Amino acid sequence: EVQLQASGGGLVQAGGSLSVSCAASGSFDFDDYAIGWFRQAPGKARERVACFSSGDGVADVADSVKGRFTISSDFAKNTVYLHMNSLKPEDTAVYYCAAEGIKVPGVTCGEIDYWGKGTQVTVSS
């Protein structure tokens, strides 16, 4: 079983930057799992923001955040980071990280096996 702990959320002004981290533990291994970042704003559907898989060579962000958000990892810490720049009020949401077992090449973080608790990101105008 994989455990995921997201942290680093907070309050930031529009135009600012914030990084959130996802620390994985348990049976997690970067060769076996992809890490996805998702967000959900009040009254809105959950949105996939980014997907990272070193084993599959995937480091993808959604079109809605492309050019502003990037994803990175620290293999020694089993941690994946979501770096958010030029934040907008519409980026306000609870951000979740999740893990998907790599079953076939071309993982998309669309079939999540494990979810972590979210971290709140609030962007003020």
Side-chain angles (χ1 to χ4, degrees):
E1 189 166 338
V2 172
Q3 290 82 44
L4 302 165
Q5 181 65 54
S7 61
L11 175 65
V12 62
Q13 288 188 332
S17 299
L18 192 68
S19 293
V20 289
S21 63
C22 176
S25 60
S27 60
F28 179 83
D29 188 294
F30 274 113
D31 289 336
D32 300 325
Y33 288 92
I35 293 290
W37 279 101
F38 296 78
R39 66 185 181 184
Q40 188 163 22
K44 294 189 177 181
R46 185 172 57 206
E47 175 188 16
R48 196 205 75 160
V49 176
C51 185
F52 175 84
S53 172
S54 65
D56 217 18
V58 171
D60 188 39
V61 296
D63 288 343
S64 60
V65 302
K66 197 159 288 185
R68 300 189 298 120
F69 290 14
T70 59
I71 195 166
S72 68
S73 64
D74 184 332
F75 294 137
K77 295 181 179 179
N78 273 358
T79 298
V80 174
Y81 302 93
L82 182 68
H83 305 287
M84 303 178 287
N85 299 308
S86 301
L87 283 161
K88 304 175 182 180
E90 50 264 43
D91 293 318
T92 295
V94 178
Y95 284 71
Y96 299 89
C97 64
E100 174 181 340
I102 300 172
K103 305 169 187 69
V104 295
V107 66
T108 62
C109 297
E111 296 183 12
I112 296 300
D113 295 297
Y114 300 99
W115 288 94
K117 293 183 179 179
T119 185
Q120 176 71 46
V121 173
T122 303
V123 184
S124 62
S125 57

